[in-house]
Amino acid sequence: MNSRLSVAAVSAVSLVALMGGTTVATAQESDPVPKSCDGVRLTGELPAPAPGQAVSGQITIGPDCEPELGSVRRGPASDRPARTAATATTTATTAAATAAGHQLRGWNEMYDCCNIRMTGLYTASSWDTADGRVTTAGTTATQEWNREPWDAGWSLTSQTAKDDCATDCAEVNSEAHADFAYQGVFDPTGDWYDNTHHSYVQLTADGTASCRFDVELRHTFVGWNWRYGCE
């Protein structure tokens, strides 16, 4: 299984193109080790693992404000955080999913430099197949975000989810989106930080699947890390 990554900058400060790949990242040349960084769009794509297994990736905002790609991790599904598994499991309740023979769960999370999950988008997909078709399918999405004790922090501002087919399909393409805004101790104005998560799942008639994830960050901070994966 291969992992493919592209990083597209949304800032006009400066662009650095890496030869031999499709990665483009921002850098703040005026400060070699800045703490606050410009925004980026991060993308990760993973093939769905075998049943009972999980595959995941991680990208960290490095000290030069450039995204640093970590290695793809594979292992038992129980290796990933329990709270993410529980969140995704509770969403698999649609009528089309109850009798399905295949299941897939995905996570798309942004953490700060203190390992606190700021925002997250989770999906749970189930589908049944027969005679070379997807007979029934359904994907549901949930969102989670971190609040501060004084009624501040991150908040969900919008969310959408849809499947392009639900019964008797050649394949099913599902997508979910969630936008989060921040207003709190690190920015009382609410104008600086904004995280937008995108998750895409393709379910096929042969029982295989693939996962793709994007996150758009209005601004970042050194040490922020994006974690994504599916099982």
Side-chain angles (χ1 to χ4, degrees):
M1 295 184 291
N2 297 320
S3 176
R4 181 164 59 87
L5 165 76
S6 64
V7 181
V10 297
S11 169
V13 176
S14 63
L15 300 179
V16 179
L18 304 184
M19 300 303 293
T22 59
T23 301
V24 178
T26 64
Q28 294 178 333
E29 296 176 350
S30 61
D31 187 345
V33 190
K35 292 184 177 181
S36 182
C37 308
D38 299 317
V40 295
R41 180 184 180 114
L42 308 174
T43 298
E45 184 170 352
L46 299 166
Q53 298 292 303
V55 59
S56 62
Q58 180 171 323
I59 302 174
T60 301
I61 304 300
D64 56 359
C65 281
E66 293 189 7
E68 299 177 346
L69 175 62
S71 59
V72 173
R73 296 179 296 276
R74 299 176 176 85
S78 58
D79 280 357
R80 77 183 178 92
R83 71 160 176 263
T84 356
T87 299
T89 300
T90 59
T91 66
T93 57
T94 62
T98 54
H102 308 282
Q103 295 186 352
L104 181 72
R105 297 181 291 190
W107 62 98
N108 178 347
E109 302 175 307
M110 203 70 212
Y111 285 78
D112 69 11
C113 55
C114 297
N115 206 36
I116 296 173
R117 184 194 54 179
M118 298 179 289
T119 54
L121 172 62
Y122 309 94
T123 59
S125 305
S126 297
W127 73 108
D128 202 4
T129 60
D131 301 324
R133 304 283 292 179
V134 177
T135 55
T136 58
T139 295
T140 53
T142 56
Q143 310 80 29
E144 292 192 10
W145 55 96
N146 184 60
R147 296 293 292 171
E148 295 168 357
W150 37 87
D151 193 26
W154 289 96
S155 59
L156 178 69
T157 57
S158 68
Q159 61 85 23
T160 60
K162 67 177 182 179
D163 302 324
D164 68 351
C165 187
T167 59
D168 191 24
C169 314
E171 65 180 28
V172 178
N173 294 283
S174 304
E175 58 182 79
H177 311 275
D179 188 70
F180 302 89
Y182 175 85
Q183 185 173 17
V185 64
F186 296 104
D187 174 34
T189 70
D191 297 330
W192 192 251
Y193 297 109
D194 186 279
N195 295 350
T196 302
H197 295 253
H198 311 278
S199 293
Y200 305 89
V201 175
Q202 184 180 74
L203 313 173
T204 66
D206 64 3
T208 60
S210 63
C211 312
R212 180 167 61 86
F213 310 94
D214 297 310
V215 66
E216 299 172 61
L217 312 173
R218 180 183 295 168
H219 289 95
T220 65
F221 204 82
V222 168
W224 281 24
N225 59 92
W226 180 48
R227 304 176 193 179
Y228 59 93
C230 55
E231 66 177 19

